[in-house]
Structure formats: C-alpha cells, structure tokens
Amino acid sequence: MAVSPRIAFLASSIDAAQEARQALAARYGGVDPEDADVLCPLGGDGFMLQTLHRHGSMGKPVFGMKLGTVGFLMNHYRAEDLLQRLAHAEPAHLRPLEMVAQTESGTTTGSLAYNDVSLLRQTRQAAHIGIDLNGQERVAELICDGVLVSTPAGSTAYNYSAHGPILPLGSNTIALTPLAPYRPRRWRGAILKADTEVRFRVLDPYKRPVSVTADSHETRDVVEVTIRESRERQVTLLFDPEHNLEERILSEQFIF
C-alpha cells in the first residue's frame, strides 16, 4: 500500500491563499516544511520565489498552486485529487544564479536568484557599465538604464519584457540582456553558457549610482557585481503533465 506524502502547505498573505491552506490542511493533513516530503506554496510567482529562497536549501520538491496575480511557476488551483496529481507530476530541475555585489562603502553582499539578477540606474542619469565574461572584457562601456542576467525559468519574465530571448529549460544557458541601451545602440545582448562568470563593473558609481536586485533582494550603490550559476543549489518544481513548465516556455514563443 502506497504511503501518502507528507505535505507542507504554505500560503501568501492574501485571503484566498490563507483560506485554501486551511482547507487543504484539513483535507490532506499538514506538516511543517522540515518534516514534509513535498512543499505546496499557494499564491503567485512572487510567493513561489519566496518559498524557494526560504526553503530551497532543504532540497524538497515543490508543487505550487496559483492563488495570486501571476502564476507562471504554479499549477492551477484545485483542492480535489491532490495526491493523484502529485503522483503523476513531472519534475523541472532549476539552478539559481549566485550574485555577489561589492558596494561603494566596501561591503560585500550575496544572494541567490531563481529568475534574474538586474542592475538598474538609481538616478535620472544613465548607468555606465563594463561587462566581463570569464575574466575577459566583452563590453568596455554599456550606456543604459541597466542590464540583467536571467535563468531559463526567469527568461519569460522581466528578461522577455526587455526583449531578451526565451531560453528552453535544460538548455544550460543564461541570457544577458541590456535595459534600454543607448550605446552600443544596436546591441541586444547575448545567450551564454550557464557556467559563464559574468562581471559587471559600474564605471562612474558616484555620479551615476547603480543598484542590483537578485529576484526581490536589492543592494544599492554597487561598484561591481559577479554572477554565476550555482554549482551546489538545485530545486525541483513539480507540474501537472498538461501544465508542465517546459511546454509553457515553448508556447510563450508562439503567442502573437
């Protein structure tokens, strides 16, 4: 006889998610994340990212259900048949980006990003940023509103809005995309191998200050930012077969 998985139901702050968590826990039982076999966040993509940042180090599979405004990383919400859905779910393995930023004050901060790491100008003046790949200078001076590095899972989000490429899951690539580039005006970014180390150098940090955001974690007044795919952290998202992430990423490229 199969043993039902222990599920930790986690909910965003919206009323619908909180009510769903109580109903699901009453129906299927609920445990703390530390004791769970599967994590089940209820909300939107923002709450999914919070869940991955908070509990991703546990290495437990995550089956999210949409009860928020955006749910690209979530399954449809349905209270019934959850155990059958978990039994037939298809996995998607994601590696986050590791970001290390140095600030004007001399401090160093680090963070993970499952979607993207983005640099943005802090004032009305355009940012001036140099770009090195694996220690070799590739762009001496990018004049822009900012620049970002995206994972395949995040390539349909901010990256796509900035006219960056959509990356297939499992492609072992990351996207490097400028934000409103002024010079070089025609440069539209690059698709890089996932193990590429990307270093951004802020060329005039006092006159043209820049911040960096890894998913939702922001650091201001940075002078240098280094990004690379994590070699140690991996998370597994679970999806209904008819709603798998790989198919949705592919479908996004055929929406007119």
Side-chain angles (χ1 to χ4, degrees):
M1 181 176 178
V3 178
S4 298
R6 297 169 297 173
I7 307 171
F9 295 103
L10 311 168
S12 69
S13 59
I14 65 172
D15 291 341
Q18 291 290 329
E19 292 168 3
R21 183 186 64 79
Q22 294 179 12
L24 290 167
R27 184 168 184 169
Y28 298 102
V31 299
D32 292 332
E34 295 78 9
D35 301 320
D37 300 308
V38 179
L39 306 181
C40 185
L42 308 167
D45 279 352
F47 186 68
M48 170 62 86
L49 292 175
Q50 287 181 35
T51 301
L52 296 180
H53 280 281
R54 188 170 300 167
H55 303 295
S57 61
M58 296 180 182
K60 299 182 178 184
V62 182
F63 184 89
M65 289 195 284
K66 180 184 176 183
L67 280 165
T69 54
V70 180
F72 193 82
L73 299 175
M74 315 294 273
N75 297 280
H76 293 304
Y77 175 75
R78 195 168 69 245
E80 61 273 11
D81 302 328
L82 178 58
L83 298 182
Q84 291 88 334
R85 293 172 73 186
L86 289 174
H88 294 95
E90 298 180 349
H93 305 292
L94 309 179
R95 287 191 180 276
L97 300 171
E98 294 178 342
M99 181 276 291
V100 177
Q102 298 179 12
T103 69
E104 287 182 23
S105 63
T107 61
T108 300
T109 63
S111 185
L112 296 177
Y114 292 91
N115 264 4
D116 54 59
V117 176
S118 57
L119 276 71
L120 296 169
R121 62 187 176 108
Q122 292 179 195
T123 67
R124 60 181 177 80
Q125 293 183 301
H128 289 201
I129 298 171
I131 303 175
D132 302 339
L133 304 180
N134 292 330
Q136 181 178 354
E137 183 180 274
R138 291 292 183 177
V139 179
E141 183 180 52
L142 173 64
I143 302 176
C144 57
D145 280 354
V147 62
L148 65 81
V149 176
S150 171
T151 66
S155 65
T156 58
Y158 190 13
N159 171 72
Y160 190 40
S161 297
H163 306 291
I166 293 178
L167 305 176
L169 284 181
S171 62
N172 292 317
T173 58
I174 55 178
L176 172 62
T177 303
L179 306 175
Y182 176 71
R183 187 177 297 130
R185 189 180 296 273
R186 299 183 184 222
W187 187 59
R188 290 295 177 262
I191 297 174
L192 309 173
K193 291 182 179 180
D195 61 359
T196 303
E197 182 182 85
V198 181
R199 177 176 287 111
F200 297 122
R201 295 172 286 105
V202 180
L203 302 180
D204 195 354
Y206 303 103
K207 182 179 180 182
R208 303 171 184 274
V210 170
S211 67
V212 63
T213 301
D215 286 346
S216 60
H217 179 255
E218 182 187 32
T219 302
R220 297 179 69 82
D221 300 315
V222 298
V223 296
E224 184 175 290
V225 177
T226 302
I227 303 161
R228 68 180 308 154
E229 185 183 69
S230 175
R231 295 175 178 173
E232 299 178 356
R233 180 73 63 88
Q234 177 177 279
V235 296
T236 300
L237 303 188
L238 302 176
F239 294 94
D240 292 320
E242 71 277 9
H243 197 62
N244 71 75
L245 185 59
E246 185 172 358
E247 172 59 29
R248 274 180 286 161
I249 288 177
L250 179 62
S251 297
E252 282 289 317
Q253 300 175 79
F254 295 92
I255 296 176
F256 305 106

